Amino acid sequence: MIDFRQKNVRSAGATDVVVIGAGHAGLATSYCLNERSIDHVVLERGEVANSWRKERWDSLKLLTPNWQSRLPGFRYAGDDPDGFMSMPEVVDFIQAYADFSSAPVKTNTTVTSVRQNEDGYRVETDSGQWQAKSVVIASGACNVAAKPKVADSVPADITSLTPHLYRGPEQLDVGGVLVVGASATGLQLADEIGRAGHDVTIAVGEHVRMPRTYRGHDIQVWLERTGILNECYDEVDDVVRARGLPSPQLIGSSDRKMLDLNHLIDNGVRLAGRLMGVNDGIAQFSGSLRNVCALADLKMNRLLGTIDNWIETHPVLCDAPERLDDTQTDDSPTLSVDLNDGSIRTIIWATGFRPDYSWLDVPVLDRKGRIRHDGGVVDAPGMYVVGLPVLRRRKSSFIHGVEDDVRDLTRHLHSYLDAGGREIRPPDVSTVQPLKNLAGMG
Ligand SMILES: Cc1cc2nc3c(=O)[nH]c(=O)nc-3n(C[C@H](O)[C@H](O)[C@H](O)COP(=O)(O)OP(=O)(O)OC[C@H]3O[C@@H](n4cnc5c(N)ncnc54)[C@H](O)[C@@H]3O)c2cc1C
């Protein structure tokens, strides 16, 4: 029996492993380290589940259903498995996990520097120093909203917001809103702001269209059952591209509603192509709107075809195949908007997120600032990273996706410690092999 009741977390000293971040990925790592009786501490700059407390908008619900909310040793146990958690519910879920596992979390402790030394790593925080043989970076993939360069050219009297600063439509000035980006975030914000009575334009680049339900089941049922989400990082054709793909256009709601560009159009939102530049206050959009939408429709239909093929060889109760209408695009979409004429008062940059490694003083970042790793085994002895998109599998950045990765990586870490800090090979990905034809997943 494992004793999960570690108490009185030390504020500094020596340990085998420092885990940085107490989101679900750091806590899952802690659980697996506990299972192996590996001494460790989890350092968290805020509270447990800090990102869900501080960096999400008020109306956001998970786009993964409750039945999919599971972590090592723990799973959703409420009475609404097909529902979607609100932000306070996600915070409660992750806090409950921290309590259940008695993770040795030191909250309100910001890691300010990690340096390599002859005994492993020196981890400095704003309240003490740690010496560790190994470090697991679980500090999140979405610490910073990634604004494109063009944001610098926007006239100063227009309010620029990122999803981290957006809470709800009531905070916006009266007037039009330009939402840049059509991933899950951009779509959800454009929908909410449009419904609140603002005139909304959405700039649409590459996106991943996906129905909420297909053949009578939630799309996540199919993504799991077909094995699509288990595809391994070393089997993905272009893993760099896969790691940068926008999140699928999904929304979690009690009526399981679908949200795509057609729904936005029906609700009065105007579509434009990708925002290419702002010159003298004129926003210029690409003419490729029709093409990017056609490509997203094509990929979605390929994905549905993959699911149909799987169903043919697996007995499962479900409805007949169906296809959605293609995205309706204008023959002559908006190519420019004058940002000087007062019609647009706010721009929301729903253009993705990136991690922040400004505290990491170990030379493991590539020239784009991405951490160099092989399936989570970082390019520095005894250092690991968890929770990044397609880290070891397609599901890696999702709550339900972290367990397999963390089990692989803590096994590797254990061997590393046992070997006295000698380099060892990355672990093989050890789950069911998924379908080979993953067309539609980018
Ligand atoms: C808008 C949005 C919607 C999402 N929806 C879903 C969904 O529906 N379902 C799903 O499964 N996933 C979803 N995700 C993806 C994913 O679950 C989240 O990004 C999740 O927060 C990642 O967990 P994590 O533990 O890797 O990182 P985080 O939750 O970000 O945790 C990292 C922790 O590290 C701490 N930290 C960072 N830097 C330091 C430092 N220097 N010192 C100390 N502590 C530090 C942070 O405060 C934070 O608490 C969504 C993500 C976003 C952005």
Side-chain angles (χ1 to χ4, degrees), residues 66-205:
N66 291 337
W67 57 261
Q68 219 172 13
S69 292
R70 51 175 185 262
L71 289 163
F74 196 74
R75 59 187 314 132
Y76 173 83
D79 57 6
D80 185 17
D82 294 323
F84 300 88
M85 286 186 205
S86 64
M87 288 307 97
E89 288 167 338
V90 180
V91 170
D92 287 350
F93 178 78
I94 296 176
Q95 182 66 58
Y97 185 54
D99 296 342
F100 154 80
S101 60
S102 290
V105 183
K106 231 183 115 25
T107 53
N108 299 307
T109 302
T110 302
V111 172
T112 53
S113 161
V114 175
R115 285 201 170 78
Q116 215 168 348
N117 61 18
E118 58 192 20
D119 299 318
Y121 295 94
R122 190 82 179 153
V123 179
E124 283 179 32
T125 78
D126 55 359
S127 57
Q129 292 187 348
W130 289 86
Q131 178 64 42
K133 294 176 190 147
S134 174
V135 166
V136 179
I137 299 171
S139 53
C142 303
N143 309 118
V144 185
K147 274 201 273 180
K149 193 108 193 70
V150 55
D152 300 340
S153 313
V154 168
D157 62 336
I158 291 186
T159 305
S160 263
L161 281 180
T162 64
H164 281 172
L165 297 174
Y166 174 85
R167 285 287 161 274
E170 57 288 344
Q171 89 190 81
L172 303 181
D173 294 337
V174 174
V177 178
L178 171 63
V179 176
V180 183
S183 65
T185 299
L187 240 69
Q188 290 182 28
L189 298 192
D191 183 50
E192 169 169 286
I193 294 166
R195 285 172 188 280
H198 292 263
D199 189 24
V200 178
T201 302
I202 183 166
V204 180

Side-chain angles (χ1 to χ4, degrees), residues 20-27 43-52 55-57 60-64 94 109-112 138-143 164 185 353 356 359 386-388 397-401:
I20 302 171
H24 76 257
L27 295 170
L43 303 179
E44 167 55 54
R45 64 180 169 185
E47 299 295 323
V48 163
N50 195 49
S51 304
W52 300 102
E55 295 169 1
R56 311 282 191 257
W57 61 97
L60 178 63
K61 288 192 160 198
L62 287 190
L63 46 79
T64 43
I94 296 176
T109 302
T110 302
V111 172
T112 53
S139 53
C142 303
N143 309 118
H164 281 172
T185 299
F353 303 94
D356 172 23
W359 42 268
V386 292
L388 300 184
S397 59
F398 294 101
I399 292 170
H400 65 93

Side-chain angles (χ1 to χ4, degrees), residues 226-349:
T226 54
I228 285 173
L229 291 175
N230 272 343
E231 194 189 11
C232 304
Y233 75 108
D234 50 4
E235 294 192 329
V236 175
D237 279 345
D238 182 350
V239 74
V240 175
R241 183 179 144 71
R243 286 174 173 159
L245 274 181
S247 55
Q249 293 176 333
L250 288 173
I251 186 170
S253 63
S254 49
D255 58 359
R256 308 167 88 66
K257 81 169 178 181
M258 158 127 191
L259 183 62
D260 64 6
L261 293 170
N262 284 346
H263 288 81
L264 290 189
I265 295 166
D266 291 347
N267 290 332
V269 173
R270 204 171 16 255
L271 264 51
R274 186 185 168 84
L275 178 63
M276 302 304 290
V278 177
N279 293 320
D280 297 330
I282 312 287
Q284 288 160 337
F285 302 97
S286 158
S288 64
L289 178 64
R290 177 180 283 250
N291 288 345
V292 292
C293 291
L295 188 62
D297 291 345
L298 181 82
K299 288 189 171 182
M300 177 182 69
N301 287 332
R302 274 202 221 143
L303 172 68
L304 301 183
T306 302
I307 294 170
D308 292 338
N309 291 341
W310 183 87
I311 290 171
E312 271 178 26
T313 52
H314 295 78
V316 53
L317 265 181
C318 62
D319 298 342
E322 54 191 313
R323 290 294 177 267
L324 302 175
D325 291 341
D326 285 346
T327 307
Q328 311 152 32
T329 44
D330 244 335
D331 282 343
S332 46
T334 309
L335 291 179
S336 65
V337 167
D338 188 351
L339 299 177
N340 302 306
D341 69 7
S343 57
I344 300 243
R345 300 309 311 141
T346 308
I347 299 183
I348 300 189
W349 301 97

